[in-house]
């Protein structure tokens, strides 16, 4: 074929840096705290397209809360937020250690991302439903859900409410508005939309929140969720947690090089914005805004939370193989716990000493919970769910063929 | 001869074919820079560049869909699905598109793709890292389905699959990636280096699709198995002393019915093994084939040893896995029958 055109070439994106390189976040455009406007909740999607390319931030470098998005939270509420984040982190540390000690097969931390789930949960009410991924343990911990209960699931022990059948961290806690977590990425995003549609069909006041990682926005289910949310305008908050990395592939491989994840909503006419996911106050303020929209029957909101996955993807992962070790320290949005702590100190409501003391209290609490959970057994040790449990719950009533198989097994 | 693990053999097959044929492209989630979560594509991007081996977005429908498009253009895509349990979003592209493209276009367009995916349990992966969905593929006309049990076959079969002009589903039992596993989970892990079938020639060779292999010659009972269960069958035969003839099917579609028929006519008994759930599993097809072809030679009912009809549980992994004890019991009861 002779043409005037030059040969085509394929664009294959990758992260700006790999192990051995210097971390580089120079591409990220981060406005100063307080700079982004706060539109009314009934704003038209097309009037806030710019917010999908900005970042809502409240806490500045000095630890002050500034600008139109400062949420009306008293000091006690802020302390509860700090406590929830610290507890989530301590829980992760202890459970990762338990995994290393062979007490369970698998664990996933949310280190560095605590503000998102812990802050968001406080904007919801009883009866609302989260459709979380495996990295939103903060939704439960922020509600003071018993740590022992989570640990029992992680250890797949005799007290595990999921009877040992489900992979660790794929919790289910209906009373806490926490939908059973699936191991298959993206599937639950569209279910959140369906749940919200049901609330509207029934004339209730409940809202739903879908959760997805930036990597998983590539799944078709993400796009199905957006089109249904666009068509039926149900009361749903569509959260995208952009922690920069899926497993070894960074957000560019999910399309983040060409547009932000918040901007995906534009084609569907869904209002969307980006927010600083490491800023507890910004999280709460933006969550409040989106939840209010949902409650007022104004329809869906998509929020991209900008954050960084500090730990490995899971206990099976070694991030030093694909990203510079120092990248986490170079992350420009800092650490959510440190930032809220500083803010409380600036307010005169907190001190290093009280922080150290709280950290110690929390570690004791987590350790005590772990000891209690271990009394119910761990994956390879002590009491465990029975083999008969394996056959239960496949159907409401056990059909004949499963009864026969159970008998064949002699349990 | 060089010894390879299953992972190394699979990687070598892609390496050999990428060097021989510049139409071969390899892609999937985490397969580029990182080399795959099980390391099957390690080094390929460095060697062949990012347009021959690359990371994809996390979208199985996208992965299979672009593979079909590339194959129709004339490439030879080898796509990796990170776990077989995650192939479902890509299933429509496999079943409705790849499998039927040749038929519906009267051969004008074809989809010579290979879709590789780790399958099977044994790593405490719970219900979403343990499934054996082979029957969901064998039921689809237009697909070939392959499942190796050792490094030698894995390399030769994968090369043959890449050269194949029809779409091939290539299932890789993950529990035997780094060593043969006979179901005795409480014993020390055995490396491939001590197994004769880890000897894999360098360079190009094929193991043709559609041919079973005899793993153990015997006269008392025929055991039909594939993947990890071949090793479980060998252990059960050794432990019971039953003179079993063990056939490793290697390719499920097209099935080597001659090898099956020859053996069952000789032994008059048949035990079928798979890790997948029982109801409508591939064992049902095998059982029907044996009944249709060997009915008058059978001296006892055909037996199946399979996973139970439940999702793959986490804590109860070894209650679920059809290990050597269950296989041994089936061998003995089939011998007693008739
Ligand atoms: C359908 C499906 N495909 C692949 C996987 C394997 N997998 C598990 S987590 C993951 C990365 C997800 O990244 P992201 O969505 O960014 O979330 P993060 O882990 O960063 O929170 C992959 C590829 C899966 N669980 N499900």
């Amino acid at each position: 074929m002779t043409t005037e055109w030059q040969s085509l070439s394929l664009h294959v994106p990758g992260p700006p840096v790999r192990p051995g390189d210097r971390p580089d976040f120079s591409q990220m455009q981060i406005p100063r705290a307080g700079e982004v406007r706060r539109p009314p909740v009934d704003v038209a999607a097309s009037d806030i397209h710019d917010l999908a390319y900005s970042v809502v931030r409240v806490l500045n470098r000095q630890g002050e809360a500034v600008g139109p998005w400062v949420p009306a939270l008293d000091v006690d509420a802020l302390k509860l937020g700090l406590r929830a984040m610290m507890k989530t982190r301590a829980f992760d540390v202890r459970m990762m250690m338990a995994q290393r000690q062979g007490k369970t097969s698998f664990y996933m931390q949310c280190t560095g991302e605590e503000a998102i789930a812990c802050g968001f949960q406080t904007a919801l009410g009883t009866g609302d439903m989260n459709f979380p991924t495996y990295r939103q343990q903060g939704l439960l911990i922020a509600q003071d859900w018993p740590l022992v209960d989570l640990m029992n699931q992680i250890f797949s022990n005799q007290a595990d409410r999921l009877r040992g059948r489900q992979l660790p961290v794929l919790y289910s806690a209906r009373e806490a508005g926490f939908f059973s977590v699936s191991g298959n990425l993206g599937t639950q995003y569209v279910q959140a939309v369906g749940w919200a549609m049901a609330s509207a069909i029934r004339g209730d006041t409940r809202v739903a929140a879908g959760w997805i990682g930036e990597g998983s926005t590539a799944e078709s289910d993400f796009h199905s969720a957006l089109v249904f949310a666009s068509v039926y305008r149900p009361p749903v908050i569509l959260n995208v947690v952009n922690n920069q990395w899926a497993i070894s592939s960074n957000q560019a491989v999910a399309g983040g090089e060409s547009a932000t994840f918040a901007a995906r909503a534009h084609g569907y006419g869904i209002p969307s914005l980006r927010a600083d996911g490491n800023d507890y106050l910004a999280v709460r303020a933006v969550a409040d805004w989106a939840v209010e929209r949902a409650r007022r029957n104004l329809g869906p909101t998509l929020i991209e939370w900008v954050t960084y996955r500090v730990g490995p993807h899971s206990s099976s992962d070694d991030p030093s193989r694909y990203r510079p070790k120092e990248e986490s320290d170079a992350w420009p949005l800092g650490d959510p716990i440190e930032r809220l702590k500083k803010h409380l100190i600036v307010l005169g409501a907190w001190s290093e000493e009280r922080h150290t003391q709280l950290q110690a209290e929390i570690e004791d609490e987590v350790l005590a919970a772990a000891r209690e959970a271990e009394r119910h057994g761990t994956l390879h040790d002590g009491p465990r769910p029975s083999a008969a449990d394996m056959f239960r719950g496949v159907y409401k009533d056990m059909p004949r063929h499963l009864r026969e198989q159970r008998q064949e097994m002699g349990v | 001869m060089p010894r390879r693990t299953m992972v190394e053999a699979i990687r070598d097959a892609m390496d050999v074919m990428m060097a021989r044929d510049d139409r071969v492209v390899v892609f999937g989630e985490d397969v580029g820079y990182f080399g795959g979560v099980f390391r099957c594509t390690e080094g390929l991007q460095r060697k062949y560049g990012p347009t021959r081996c690359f990371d994809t977005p996390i979208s199985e429908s996208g992965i299979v869909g672009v593979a079909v498009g590339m194959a129709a253009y004339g490439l030879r895509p080898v796509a990796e699905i990170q776990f077989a349990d995650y192939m479902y979003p890509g299933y429509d592209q496999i079943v409705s598109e790849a499998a039927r493209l040749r038929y519906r276009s009267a051969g004008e367009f074809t989809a010579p793709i290979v879709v590789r995916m780790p399958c099977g349990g044994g790593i405490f992966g719970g219900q979403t890292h343990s499934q054996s969905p082979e029957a969901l593929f064998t039921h689809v006309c237009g697909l070939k389905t392959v499942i190796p049990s050792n490094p030698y076959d894995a390399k030769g079969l994968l090369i043959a699959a890449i050269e194949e002009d029809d779409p091939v589903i290539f299932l890789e039992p993950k529990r035997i990636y780094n060593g043969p596993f006979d179901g005795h989970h409480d014993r020390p892990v055995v490396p491939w280096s001590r197994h004769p079938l880890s000897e894999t020639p360098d360079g190009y060779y094929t193991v043709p699709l559609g041919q079973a292999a005899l793993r153990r010659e015997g006269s008392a009972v025929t055991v039909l198995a594939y993947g990890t269960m071949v090793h479980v069958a060998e252990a059960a035969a050794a432990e019971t002393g039953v003179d079993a003839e063990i056939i490793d099917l290697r390719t499920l579609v097209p099935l080597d019915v001659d090898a099956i028929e020859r053996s069952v006519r000789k032994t008059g008994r048949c035990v079928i093994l798979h890790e997948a759930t029982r109801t409508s599993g591939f064992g049902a097809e095998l059982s029907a084939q044996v009944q249709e072809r060997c009915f008058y030679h059978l001296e006892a009912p055909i037996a199946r040893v399979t996973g139970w009809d439940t999702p793959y549980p986490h804590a109860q992994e070894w209650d679920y896995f059809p290990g050597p004890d269950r296989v041994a019991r089936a061998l003995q009861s089939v011998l007693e029958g008739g």
Side-chain angles (χ1 to χ4, degrees), chain B:
Chain B
M1 209 186 291
R3 291 185 177 277
R4 288 183 171 85
T5 66
M6 207 70 165
V7 168
E8 290 161 349
I10 287 164
R11 183 192 304 149
D12 198 42
M14 287 185 273
D15 193 353
V16 166
M17 289 310 289
M18 289 176 92
R20 271 172 80 97
D21 184 347
D22 66 6
R23 298 171 307 164
V24 177
V25 290
V26 170
F27 52 87
E29 295 159 18
D30 300 293
V31 313
Y33 182 88
F34 189 55
V37 294
F38 290 103
R39 328 290 324 146
C40 287
T41 55
E42 194 171 19
L44 297 180
Q45 183 176 73
R46 219 176 313 124
K47 193 162 170 188
Y48 297 99
T51 58
R52 300 277 313 278
C53 176
F54 52 89
D55 289 336
T56 63
I58 302 171
S59 168
E60 293 73 16
S61 58
I63 292 168
V64 184
V66 299
V68 172
M70 289 178 195
Y73 189 94
L75 299 187
R76 292 271 157 167
V78 182
E80 175 177 304
I81 301 293
Q82 199 161 81
F83 286 85
D85 318 59
Y86 301 139
M87 68 85 184
Y88 302 103
Y91 194 58
D92 189 30
Q93 286 288 341
I94 293 173
V95 175
S96 315
E97 305 302 321
R100 291 195 233 133
L101 189 56
R102 175 187 299 282
Y103 192 76
R104 75 171 195 235
S105 70
E108 221 170 43
F109 296 99
T110 59
I113 65 173
V114 179
V115 187
R116 299 178 35 245
M117 51 185 99
C119 67
I123 63 159
F124 277 98
Q127 56 183 266
T128 51
H129 303 90
S130 308
Q131 295 166 31
S132 295
E134 65 271 14
L136 298 179
F137 299 115
T138 58
H139 194 57
V140 178
C141 331
L143 297 180
K144 298 191 174 182
T145 300
V146 176
I147 175 164
S149 71
N150 61 76
Y152 179 87
D153 284 354
K155 179 173 170 185
L157 285 166
L158 183 52
I159 291 177
I162 296 171
E163 291 188 326
E164 174 65 42
D165 289 329
D166 284 310
V168 179
I169 304 298
F170 197 87
L171 293 158
E172 301 169 2
K174 68 179 82 69
R175 179 61 210 234
I176 57 172
Y177 264 149
N178 293 304
F181 174 66
D182 64 9
H184 285 295
H185 55 92
D186 41 4
R187 296 188 188 162
V189 175
V190 186
W192 272 116
S193 55
R194 280 195 235 133
H195 196 285
L197 289 170
S198 69
E199 289 193 358
T200 51
D202 285 331
Y204 176 90
Y205 72 92
T206 61
V207 172
L209 306 193
Q211 289 182 15
L214 195 59
R215 292 291 169 224
R216 185 189 190 283
E217 215 175 310
S219 58
V221 49
T222 298
V223 179
L224 303 180
Y226 48 89
T228 308
M229 293 307 290
V230 172
H231 304 277
V232 177
E234 286 172 338
E239 285 154 23
T240 53
V242 170
D243 188 22
E245 177 143 304
I246 301 173
I247 295 180
D248 177 354
L249 296 172
R250 304 198 288 197
T251 304
L252 307 186
V253 175
L255 185 64
D256 188 349
V257 284
D258 292 338
I260 296 172
E261 193 172 330
R262 213 178 302 125
S263 178
V264 178
R265 279 172 182 250
K266 180 176 83 177
T267 63
R269 290 175 160 84
C270 182
V271 174
I272 295 164
L273 313 181
H274 57 66
E275 202 183 326
T277 50
R278 169 177 301 224
T279 301
S280 301
F282 193 65
E285 172 64 24
L286 290 172
S287 177
Q289 292 276 358
V290 170
Q291 187 275 137
E292 285 160 11
R293 288 164 194 279
C294 311
F295 181 76
Y296 295 107
H297 298 265
L298 283 174
E299 291 167 38
I302 302 162
R304 283 183 285 167
V305 183
T306 68
W308 309 114
D309 281 334
T310 75
Y312 215 111
H314 176 249
Q316 299 92 338
E317 172 141 84
W318 300 121
D319 300 314
Y320 181 92
F321 185 89
D325 293 347
R326 278 179 65 201
V327 175
R329 253 177 281 140
L331 290 177
Q332 277 152 349
S333 77
V334 165
L335 284 186
E336 283 154 21

Side-chain angles (χ1 to χ4, degrees), chain A residues 77-286:
Chain A
L78 294 176
K79 284 187 195 164
L80 280 177
L82 184 67
R83 185 169 217 291
M85 292 197 287
M86 289 168 72
K87 205 159 127 180
T88 303
R89 190 167 293 180
F91 178 80
D92 277 353
V93 168
R94 171 71 40 196
M95 289 299 97
M96 197 67 164
M97 203 187 299
Q99 192 278 337
R100 298 293 184 234
Q101 293 165 342
K103 291 174 184 166
T104 184
S105 56
F106 182 75
Y107 190 69
M108 297 178 100
Q109 302 163 274
C110 66
T111 312
E113 304 174 35
E114 294 91 345
I116 301 166
C118 292
F120 189 90
Q121 180 60 44
T122 59
L124 293 179
T126 316
D128 296 337
M129 187 63 81
N130 282 294
F131 289 74
T133 78
Y134 44 70
R135 232 183 276 288
Q136 271 85 47
Q137 52 270 54
L139 296 171
L140 290 166
I141 294 173
Q143 299 178 65
D144 275 329
W145 188 258
L147 298 183
V148 182
D149 188 68
L150 303 180
M151 290 168 172
N152 289 337
Q153 198 279 333
I154 291 166
F155 294 154
S156 275
N157 64 22
Q158 201 174 44
D160 170 13
R161 48 163 54 217
L162 308 183
R163 299 175 187 278
R165 298 192 294 234
Q166 179 62 305
L167 193 69
V169 313
L170 303 185
Y171 316 110
S172 181
R174 190 184 178 112
E175 311 93 284
F178 192 97
F179 195 78
S180 153
V181 182
S182 170
N184 299 62
L185 296 172
T187 49
Q188 300 182 254
Y189 213 56
V190 64
Q191 294 165 8
V193 174
W195 201 95
M197 285 169 67
S199 175
I201 289 168
R202 304 292 288 176
D204 292 336
T205 59
R206 295 172 177 160
V207 308
W211 294 88
I212 201 165
E214 89 292 340
S216 308
T217 60
E219 293 284 5
S220 310
D221 285 335
F222 171 79
H223 303 273
S224 302
L226 263 60
V227 75
F228 275 71
S230 162
V231 169
Y232 298 107
R233 299 183 194 166
V236 64
I237 297 96
L238 297 165
N239 295 287
V240 177
V241 180
N242 179 0
N243 63 9
Q244 312 302 317
W245 291 91
I247 300 179
S248 72
S249 66
N250 93 322
Q251 50 108 28
V253 179
E257 212 178 43
S258 308
T260 67
F261 296 92
R264 298 247 172 117
H266 291 174
Y268 297 95
I270 296 173
S272 70
L273 28 72
R274 287 171 97 215
D276 180 344
N278 290 20
D279 176 342
Y280 185 85
L281 295 179
V283 170
R284 175 60 194 261
V286 171

